[in-house]
Amino acid sequence: MKLKTVVGVLLTAIMLFPVYWMVNVSLTRDTDMRADPPHLFPLHGTLEGYRAVLDQQLPYLINSLMIGVGTVVLTVALSAPAGFALAKLRPRGGGWLSFVLLVAQMIPSIIMAMGFYAIYLRLGVLNSTAGLILADSTIAVPFGVLIFTAFMSGIPDELTAAATVDGAGPLRTFWSVILPVSRNAVVTVSLFAFLWAWSDFVFATTLDGGGTQQPITLGIYHYIGNNNQQWNAIMATAVVASIPATLLLIVAQRYVAAGVTAGAVKD
């Protein structure tokens, strides 16, 4: 048992070392950056990189936050009713629709990005926040529908039957009965939708490469190109960009575990 613990700790340390090194470099002075051997700890730490983040990268962070929240709202608004319909209303062709949604997740993002580019160019919505929200949602919605369908399939039909007896229609049943007990699925879908939008680079560089509402992924990309010697600022940007996703994962991990495994085991 002790050997397994030691091995587990070592493997965890190896996997987390790049994260530690990112934090270490973000606190290292420019003059110490090329030290040989490199410093394992920031002996003469500095916050210059984080000051540069606040001065230059804050607008990108705000844009990413807006895109992430918008993607979450649109994804849940579309996938939750669709999952309810497939799970409880059981329309004809529902199985085929689930298969199509599964196949849709296998389409490479770059192919979808080129299709969006042609459409957005005609509609005049290139380089816009709304365009990125819609594009990012196309990745999250199929996943959300599958998660909601699996979760809502496990909700007893007696709940919907009781709502029907009380005179509730499908919409009222979904809103007042099914959705409140689907909290784990809502949190799971919202988390993954936000993470996909937050870390997106393909859609951002294709659909908003020349706009003024660019996300943090493009901010880091441009920053590396323009300041390839200021690695403490680059790493500080990466650290700050990782904080929202890390906090969300920590807060929502127990809901995510329940939401992802929902429907995996049938009584």
Side-chain angles (χ1 to χ4, degrees), residues 110-150:
I110 186 61
I111 295 178
M112 298 178 63
M114 297 309 297
F116 273 118
Y117 183 87
I119 297 173
Y120 284 10
L121 185 61
R122 293 191 175 188
L123 296 179
V125 292
L126 280 174
N127 304 322
S128 66
T129 300
L132 281 182
I133 291 175
L134 179 60
D136 291 331
S137 298
T138 59
I139 298 178
V141 167
F143 171 82
V145 173
L146 295 176
I147 291 295
F148 276 117
T149 301

mmCIF file of all heavy atoms in Angstrom, residues 110-150:
data_model
loop_
_atom_site.group_PDB
_atom_site.id
_atom_site.type_symbol
_atom_site.label_atom_id
_atom_site.label_comp_id
_atom_site.label_asym_id
_atom_site.label_seq_id
_atom_site.Cartn_x
_atom_site.Cartn_y
_atom_site.Cartn_z
ATOM 1 N N ILE A 110 -11.444 22.772 -37.176
ATOM 2 C CA ILE A 110 -10.982 23.626 -38.263
ATOM 3 C C ILE A 110 -11.937 23.566 -39.450
ATOM 4 O O ILE A 110 -12.147 24.558 -40.156
ATOM 5 C CB ILE A 110 -9.543 23.222 -38.687
ATOM 6 C CG1 ILE A 110 -9.000 24.199 -39.715
ATOM 7 C CG2 ILE A 110 -9.516 21.798 -39.196
ATOM 8 C CD1 ILE A 110 -8.905 25.619 -39.230
ATOM 9 N N ILE A 111 -12.543 22.397 -39.679
ATOM 10 C CA ILE A 111 -13.514 22.282 -40.767
ATOM 11 C C ILE A 111 -14.750 23.116 -40.463
ATOM 12 O O ILE A 111 -15.271 23.842 -41.328
ATOM 13 C CB ILE A 111 -13.893 20.802 -40.985
ATOM 14 C CG1 ILE A 111 -12.658 20.020 -41.466
ATOM 15 C CG2 ILE A 111 -15.031 20.674 -41.989
ATOM 16 C CD1 ILE A 111 -12.924 18.541 -41.666
ATOM 17 N N MET A 112 -15.224 23.035 -39.225
ATOM 18 C CA MET A 112 -16.377 23.843 -38.830
ATOM 19 C C MET A 112 -16.030 25.328 -38.885
ATOM 20 O O MET A 112 -16.872 26.158 -39.267
ATOM 21 C CB MET A 112 -16.818 23.446 -37.421
ATOM 22 C CG MET A 112 -17.264 22.000 -37.300
ATOM 23 S SD MET A 112 -17.709 21.553 -35.613
ATOM 24 C CE MET A 112 -19.100 22.640 -35.318
ATOM 25 N N ALA A 113 -14.800 25.671 -38.520
ATOM 26 C CA ALA A 113 -14.402 27.077 -38.527
ATOM 27 C C ALA A 113 -14.434 27.656 -39.937
ATOM 28 O O ALA A 113 -14.878 28.795 -40.140
ATOM 29 C CB ALA A 113 -13.005 27.227 -37.929
ATOM 30 N N MET A 114 -13.991 26.883 -40.919
ATOM 31 C CA MET A 114 -14.018 27.380 -42.296
ATOM 32 C C MET A 114 -15.440 27.559 -42.790
ATOM 33 O O MET A 114 -15.749 28.510 -43.510
ATOM 34 C CB MET A 114 -13.245 26.408 -43.198
ATOM 35 C CG MET A 114 -11.760 26.278 -42.857
ATOM 36 S SD MET A 114 -10.930 27.883 -42.733
ATOM 37 C CE MET A 114 -11.116 28.492 -44.411
ATOM 38 N N GLY A 115 -16.327 26.628 -42.387
ATOM 39 C CA GLY A 115 -17.734 26.790 -42.754
ATOM 40 C C GLY A 115 -18.336 28.032 -42.115
ATOM 41 O O GLY A 115 -19.067 28.794 -42.770
ATOM 42 N N PHE A 116 -18.035 28.247 -40.848
ATOM 43 C CA PHE A 116 -18.530 29.446 -40.163
ATOM 44 C C PHE A 116 -17.977 30.713 -40.807
ATOM 45 O O PHE A 116 -18.680 31.725 -40.907
ATOM 46 C CB PHE A 116 -18.145 29.406 -38.685
ATOM 47 C CG PHE A 116 -19.129 28.674 -37.818
ATOM 48 C CD1 PHE A 116 -18.745 27.541 -37.117
ATOM 49 C CD2 PHE A 116 -20.438 29.109 -37.706
ATOM 50 C CE1 PHE A 116 -19.652 26.862 -36.319
ATOM 51 C CE2 PHE A 116 -21.350 28.448 -36.914
ATOM 52 C CZ PHE A 116 -20.964 27.318 -36.213
ATOM 53 N N TYR A 117 -16.727 30.659 -41.242
ATOM 54 C CA TYR A 117 -16.114 31.845 -41.840
ATOM 55 C C TYR A 117 -16.888 32.288 -43.086
ATOM 56 O O TYR A 117 -17.166 33.485 -43.266
ATOM 57 C CB TYR A 117 -14.659 31.563 -42.190
ATOM 58 C CG TYR A 117 -13.928 32.770 -42.744
ATOM 59 C CD1 TYR A 117 -13.314 33.672 -41.881
ATOM 60 C CD2 TYR A 117 -13.854 33.005 -44.116
ATOM 61 C CE1 TYR A 117 -12.646 34.778 -42.372
ATOM 62 C CE2 TYR A 117 -13.203 34.115 -44.613
ATOM 63 C CZ TYR A 117 -12.596 35.000 -43.737
ATOM 64 O OH TYR A 117 -11.949 36.107 -44.239
ATOM 65 N N ALA A 118 -17.232 31.315 -43.931
ATOM 66 C CA ALA A 118 -17.972 31.655 -45.144
ATOM 67 C C ALA A 118 -19.347 32.224 -44.812
ATOM 68 O O ALA A 118 -19.811 33.194 -45.443
ATOM 69 C CB ALA A 118 -18.110 30.413 -46.028
ATOM 70 N N ILE A 119 -20.005 31.641 -43.808
ATOM 71 C CA ILE A 119 -21.340 32.126 -43.428
ATOM 72 C C ILE A 119 -21.259 33.496 -42.772
ATOM 73 O O ILE A 119 -22.026 34.417 -43.111
ATOM 74 C CB ILE A 119 -22.014 31.110 -42.475
ATOM 75 C CG1 ILE A 119 -22.234 29.776 -43.186
ATOM 76 C CG2 ILE A 119 -23.332 31.664 -41.945
ATOM 77 C CD1 ILE A 119 -22.739 28.676 -42.277
ATOM 78 N N TYR A 120 -20.319 33.648 -41.836
ATOM 79 C CA TYR A 120 -20.186 34.924 -41.132
ATOM 80 C C TYR A 120 -19.796 36.048 -42.077
ATOM 81 O O TYR A 120 -20.191 37.206 -41.889
ATOM 82 C CB TYR A 120 -19.145 34.797 -40.025
ATOM 83 C CG TYR A 120 -19.615 34.061 -38.797
ATOM 84 C CD1 TYR A 120 -20.828 33.379 -38.788
ATOM 85 C CD2 TYR A 120 -18.849 34.041 -37.640
ATOM 86 C CE1 TYR A 120 -21.255 32.697 -37.673
ATOM 87 C CE2 TYR A 120 -19.268 33.354 -36.508
ATOM 88 C CZ TYR A 120 -20.469 32.674 -36.534
ATOM 89 O OH TYR A 120 -20.895 32.008 -35.419
ATOM 90 N N LEU A 121 -18.985 35.716 -43.075
ATOM 91 C CA LEU A 121 -18.565 36.739 -44.025
ATOM 92 C C LEU A 121 -19.759 37.314 -44.770
ATOM 93 O O LEU A 121 -19.849 38.526 -45.001
ATOM 94 C CB LEU A 121 -17.550 36.141 -45.012
ATOM 95 C CG LEU A 121 -16.909 37.116 -46.009
ATOM 96 C CD1 LEU A 121 -16.128 38.199 -45.275
ATOM 97 C CD2 LEU A 121 -16.004 36.367 -46.984
ATOM 98 N N ARG A 122 -20.694 36.458 -45.142
ATOM 99 C CA ARG A 122 -21.897 36.923 -45.847
ATOM 100 C C ARG A 122 -22.838 37.677 -44.919
ATOM 101 O O ARG A 122 -23.501 38.626 -45.336
ATOM 102 C CB ARG A 122 -22.627 35.742 -46.477
ATOM 103 C CG ARG A 122 -21.860 35.077 -47.618
ATOM 104 C CD ARG A 122 -22.743 34.109 -48.375
ATOM 105 N NE ARG A 122 -22.059 33.551 -49.528
ATOM 106 C CZ ARG A 122 -22.654 32.794 -50.444
ATOM 107 N NH1 ARG A 122 -23.940 32.499 -50.330
ATOM 108 N NH2 ARG A 122 -21.961 32.333 -51.476
ATOM 109 N N LEU A 123 -22.908 37.230 -43.671
ATOM 110 C CA LEU A 123 -23.824 37.870 -42.726
ATOM 111 C C LEU A 123 -23.214 39.110 -42.076
ATOM 112 O O LEU A 123 -23.926 39.879 -41.424
ATOM 113 C CB LEU A 123 -24.221 36.880 -41.628
ATOM 114 C CG LEU A 123 -25.015 35.649 -42.084
ATOM 115 C CD1 LEU A 123 -25.310 34.750 -40.883
ATOM 116 C CD2 LEU A 123 -26.321 36.068 -42.751
ATOM 117 N N GLY A 124 -21.917 39.306 -42.226
ATOM 118 C CA GLY A 124 -21.262 40.468 -41.644
ATOM 119 C C GLY A 124 -21.064 40.388 -40.143
ATOM 120 O O GLY A 124 -21.081 41.422 -39.467
ATOM 121 N N VAL A 125 -20.886 39.178 -39.618
ATOM 122 C CA VAL A 125 -20.720 39.018 -38.165
ATOM 123 C C VAL A 125 -19.329 38.494 -37.803
ATOM 124 O O VAL A 125 -19.133 37.970 -36.708
ATOM 125 C CB VAL A 125 -21.801 38.085 -37.585
ATOM 126 C CG1 VAL A 125 -23.158 38.725 -37.662
ATOM 127 C CG2 VAL A 125 -21.791 36.736 -38.294
ATOM 128 N N LEU A 126 -18.383 38.628 -38.740
ATOM 129 C CA LEU A 126 -17.006 38.289 -38.382
ATOM 130 C C LEU A 126 -16.480 39.254 -37.319
ATOM 131 O O LEU A 126 -16.944 40.395 -37.219
ATOM 132 C CB LEU A 126 -16.105 38.343 -39.616
ATOM 133 C CG LEU A 126 -16.113 37.136 -40.567
ATOM 134 C CD1 LEU A 126 -15.266 37.441 -41.787
ATOM 135 C CD2 LEU A 126 -15.629 35.880 -39.871
ATOM 136 N N ASN A 127 -15.521 38.791 -36.538
ATOM 137 C CA ASN A 127 -14.882 39.623 -35.516
ATOM 138 C C ASN A 127 -15.891 40.163 -34.504
ATOM 139 O O ASN A 127 -15.868 41.337 -34.129
ATOM 140 C CB ASN A 127 -14.133 40.796 -36.160
ATOM 141 C CG ASN A 127 -13.113 40.349 -37.186
ATOM 142 O OD1 ASN A 127 -12.455 39.334 -36.997
ATOM 143 N ND2 ASN A 127 -12.990 41.095 -38.274
ATOM 144 N N SER A 128 -16.792 39.303 -34.065
ATOM 145 C CA SER A 128 -17.799 39.701 -33.082
ATOM 146 C C SER A 128 -17.868 38.677 -31.960
ATOM 147 O O SER A 128 -17.605 37.487 -32.161
ATOM 148 C CB SER A 128 -19.176 39.851 -33.744
ATOM 149 O OG SER A 128 -19.658 38.598 -34.198
ATOM 150 N N THR A 129 -18.246 39.140 -30.783
ATOM 151 C CA THR A 129 -18.402 38.254 -29.628
ATOM 152 C C THR A 129 -19.538 37.272 -29.844
ATOM 153 O O THR A 129 -19.425 36.083 -29.518
ATOM 154 C CB THR A 129 -18.656 39.084 -28.361
ATOM 155 O OG1 THR A 129 -17.545 39.965 -28.137
ATOM 156 C CG2 THR A 129 -18.836 38.190 -27.151
ATOM 157 N N ALA A 130 -20.637 37.753 -30.414
ATOM 158 C CA ALA A 130 -21.785 36.879 -30.661
ATOM 159 C C ALA A 130 -21.419 35.747 -31.608
ATOM 160 O O ALA A 130 -21.870 34.604 -31.433
ATOM 161 C CB ALA A 130 -22.951 37.692 -31.234
ATOM 162 N N GLY A 131 -20.599 36.035 -32.613
ATOM 163 C CA GLY A 131 -20.179 34.998 -33.544
ATOM 164 C C GLY A 131 -19.369 33.919 -32.863
ATOM 165 O O GLY A 131 -19.548 32.725 -33.133
ATOM 166 N N LEU A 132 -18.465 34.303 -31.963
ATOM 167 C CA LEU A 132 -17.672 33.316 -31.246
ATOM 168 C C LEU A 132 -18.538 32.494 -30.285
ATOM 169 O O LEU A 132 -18.323 31.291 -30.122
ATOM 170 C CB LEU A 132 -16.544 34.001 -30.467
ATOM 171 C CG LEU A 132 -15.312 34.407 -31.268
ATOM 172 C CD1 LEU A 132 -14.268 35.025 -30.353
ATOM 173 C CD2 LEU A 132 -14.719 33.212 -31.998
ATOM 174 N N ILE A 133 -19.506 33.132 -29.646
ATOM 175 C CA ILE A 133 -20.399 32.398 -28.748
ATOM 176 C C ILE A 133 -21.165 31.332 -29.521
ATOM 177 O O ILE A 133 -21.276 30.177 -29.077
ATOM 178 C CB ILE A 133 -21.369 33.379 -28.054
ATOM 179 C CG1 ILE A 133 -20.609 34.260 -27.071
ATOM 180 C CG2 ILE A 133 -22.494 32.621 -27.350
ATOM 181 C CD1 ILE A 133 -21.455 35.335 -26.441
ATOM 182 N N LEU A 134 -21.684 31.694 -30.684
ATOM 183 C CA LEU A 134 -22.425 30.732 -31.497
ATOM 184 C C LEU A 134 -21.516 29.600 -31.966
ATOM 185 O O LEU A 134 -21.907 28.420 -31.919
ATOM 186 C CB LEU A 134 -23.051 31.447 -32.704
ATOM 187 C CG LEU A 134 -23.852 30.572 -33.667
ATOM 188 C CD1 LEU A 134 -25.019 29.903 -32.943
ATOM 189 C CD2 LEU A 134 -24.356 31.390 -34.853
ATOM 190 N N ALA A 135 -20.312 29.928 -32.394
ATOM 191 C CA ALA A 135 -19.390 28.897 -32.878
ATOM 192 C C ALA A 135 -18.982 27.946 -31.762
ATOM 193 O O ALA A 135 -18.980 26.719 -31.942
ATOM 194 C CB ALA A 135 -18.162 29.557 -33.496
ATOM 195 N N ASP A 136 -18.640 28.489 -30.603
ATOM 196 C CA ASP A 136 -18.249 27.633 -29.478
ATOM 197 C C ASP A 136 -19.405 26.753 -29.015
ATOM 198 O O ASP A 136 -19.196 25.620 -28.553
ATOM 199 C CB ASP A 136 -17.746 28.487 -28.317
ATOM 200 C CG ASP A 136 -16.416 29.154 -28.613
ATOM 201 O OD1 ASP A 136 -15.638 28.586 -29.400
ATOM 202 O OD2 ASP A 136 -16.148 30.248 -28.073
ATOM 203 N N SER A 137 -20.623 27.251 -29.141
ATOM 204 C CA SER A 137 -21.787 26.472 -28.715
ATOM 205 C C SER A 137 -22.008 25.248 -29.603
ATOM 206 O O SER A 137 -22.585 24.248 -29.138
ATOM 207 C CB SER A 137 -23.043 27.349 -28.720
ATOM 208 O OG SER A 137 -22.922 28.414 -27.803
ATOM 209 N N THR A 138 -21.561 25.310 -30.844
ATOM 210 C CA THR A 138 -21.748 24.150 -31.720
ATOM 211 C C THR A 138 -20.946 22.942 -31.236
ATOM 212 O O THR A 138 -21.295 21.797 -31.564
ATOM 213 C CB THR A 138 -21.326 24.491 -33.160
ATOM 214 O OG1 THR A 138 -19.954 24.894 -33.181
ATOM 215 C CG2 THR A 138 -22.196 25.600 -33.729
ATOM 216 N N ILE A 139 -19.895 23.165 -30.478
ATOM 217 C CA ILE A 139 -19.144 22.060 -29.894
ATOM 218 C C ILE A 139 -19.797 21.584 -28.608
ATOM 219 O O ILE A 139 -19.868 20.382 -28.330
ATOM 220 C CB ILE A 139 -17.690 22.490 -29.622
ATOM 221 C CG1 ILE A 139 -16.988 22.854 -30.933
ATOM 222 C CG2 ILE A 139 -16.921 21.393 -28.907
ATOM 223 C CD1 ILE A 139 -15.564 23.325 -30.749
ATOM 224 N N ALA A 140 -20.311 22.520 -27.829
ATOM 225 C CA ALA A 140 -20.846 22.176 -26.509
ATOM 226 C C ALA A 140 -22.259 21.617 -26.563
ATOM 227 O O ALA A 140 -22.625 20.773 -25.735
ATOM 228 C CB ALA A 140 -20.820 23.417 -25.612
ATOM 229 N N VAL A 141 -23.084 22.067 -27.506
ATOM 230 C CA VAL A 141 -24.489 21.644 -27.527
ATOM 231 C C VAL A 141 -24.653 20.134 -27.744
ATOM 232 O O VAL A 141 -25.417 19.490 -27.011
ATOM 233 C CB VAL A 141 -25.282 22.446 -28.586
ATOM 234 C CG1 VAL A 141 -26.649 21.810 -28.846
ATOM 235 C CG2 VAL A 141 -25.464 23.878 -28.115
ATOM 236 N N PRO A 142 -23.990 19.503 -28.724
ATOM 237 C CA PRO A 142 -24.155 18.043 -28.861
ATOM 238 C C PRO A 142 -23.763 17.291 -27.594
ATOM 239 O O PRO A 142 -24.467 16.361 -27.179
ATOM 240 C CB PRO A 142 -23.216 17.694 -30.028
ATOM 241 C CG PRO A 142 -23.110 18.951 -30.815
ATOM 242 C CD PRO A 142 -23.149 20.047 -29.808
ATOM 243 N N PHE A 143 -22.665 17.691 -26.976
ATOM 244 C CA PHE A 143 -22.267 17.070 -25.717
ATOM 245 C C PHE A 143 -23.326 17.299 -24.651
ATOM 246 O O PHE A 143 -23.686 16.380 -23.897
ATOM 247 C CB PHE A 143 -20.927 17.650 -25.269
ATOM 248 C CG PHE A 143 -20.515 17.245 -23.877
ATOM 249 C CD1 PHE A 143 -19.910 16.017 -23.654
ATOM 250 C CD2 PHE A 143 -20.726 18.099 -22.797
ATOM 251 C CE1 PHE A 143 -19.530 15.641 -22.371
ATOM 252 C CE2 PHE A 143 -20.345 17.725 -21.527
ATOM 253 C CZ PHE A 143 -19.747 16.496 -21.305
ATOM 254 N N GLY A 144 -23.852 18.517 -24.576
ATOM 255 C CA GLY A 144 -24.872 18.831 -23.585
ATOM 256 C C GLY A 144 -26.135 18.015 -23.774
ATOM 257 O O GLY A 144 -26.748 17.547 -22.803
ATOM 258 N N VAL A 145 -26.563 17.843 -25.016
ATOM 259 C CA VAL A 145 -27.781 17.053 -25.278
ATOM 260 C C VAL A 145 -27.586 15.613 -24.813
ATOM 261 O O VAL A 145 -28.482 15.019 -24.186
ATOM 262 C CB VAL A 145 -28.138 17.103 -26.777
ATOM 263 C CG1 VAL A 145 -29.294 16.140 -27.079
ATOM 264 C CG2 VAL A 145 -28.515 18.518 -27.186
ATOM 265 N N LEU A 146 -26.440 15.036 -25.091
ATOM 266 C CA LEU A 146 -26.176 13.655 -24.680
ATOM 267 C C LEU A 146 -26.150 13.527 -23.157
ATOM 268 O O LEU A 146 -26.683 12.563 -22.599
ATOM 269 C CB LEU A 146 -24.852 13.179 -25.276
ATOM 270 C CG LEU A 146 -24.809 13.069 -26.809
ATOM 271 C CD1 LEU A 146 -23.416 12.687 -27.282
ATOM 272 C CD2 LEU A 146 -25.827 12.059 -27.311
ATOM 273 N N ILE A 147 -25.541 14.490 -22.474
ATOM 274 C CA ILE A 147 -25.487 14.450 -21.010
ATOM 275 C C ILE A 147 -26.881 14.610 -20.415
ATOM 276 O O ILE A 147 -27.288 13.862 -19.506
ATOM 277 C CB ILE A 147 -24.541 15.543 -20.472
ATOM 278 C CG1 ILE A 147 -23.094 15.211 -20.834
ATOM 279 C CG2 ILE A 147 -24.690 15.675 -18.957
ATOM 280 C CD1 ILE A 147 -22.561 13.962 -20.181
ATOM 281 N N PHE A 148 -27.639 15.578 -20.906
ATOM 282 C CA PHE A 148 -28.993 15.797 -20.384
ATOM 283 C C PHE A 148 -29.890 14.597 -20.665
ATOM 284 O O PHE A 148 -30.712 14.209 -19.822
ATOM 285 C CB PHE A 148 -29.599 17.063 -20.990
ATOM 286 C CG PHE A 148 -29.207 18.321 -20.283
ATOM 287 C CD1 PHE A 148 -28.483 19.311 -20.932
ATOM 288 C CD2 PHE A 148 -29.563 18.537 -18.955
ATOM 289 C CE1 PHE A 148 -28.115 20.475 -20.283
ATOM 290 C CE2 PHE A 148 -29.204 19.704 -18.297
ATOM 291 C CZ PHE A 148 -28.477 20.681 -18.963
ATOM 292 N N THR A 149 -29.743 14.013 -21.844
ATOM 293 C CA THR A 149 -30.568 12.848 -22.177
ATOM 294 C C THR A 149 -30.277 11.693 -21.232
ATOM 295 O O THR A 149 -31.199 11.047 -20.706
ATOM 296 C CB THR A 149 -30.314 12.413 -23.627
ATOM 297 O OG1 THR A 149 -30.617 13.490 -24.515
ATOM 298 C CG2 THR A 149 -31.177 11.220 -23.989
ATOM 299 N N ALA A 150 -28.994 11.424 -20.994
ATOM 300 C CA ALA A 150 -28.625 10.337 -20.085
ATOM 301 C C ALA A 150 -29.102 10.608 -18.669
ATOM 302 O O ALA A 150 -29.608 9.710 -17.986
ATOM 303 C CB ALA A 150 -27.119 10.127 -20.121
#
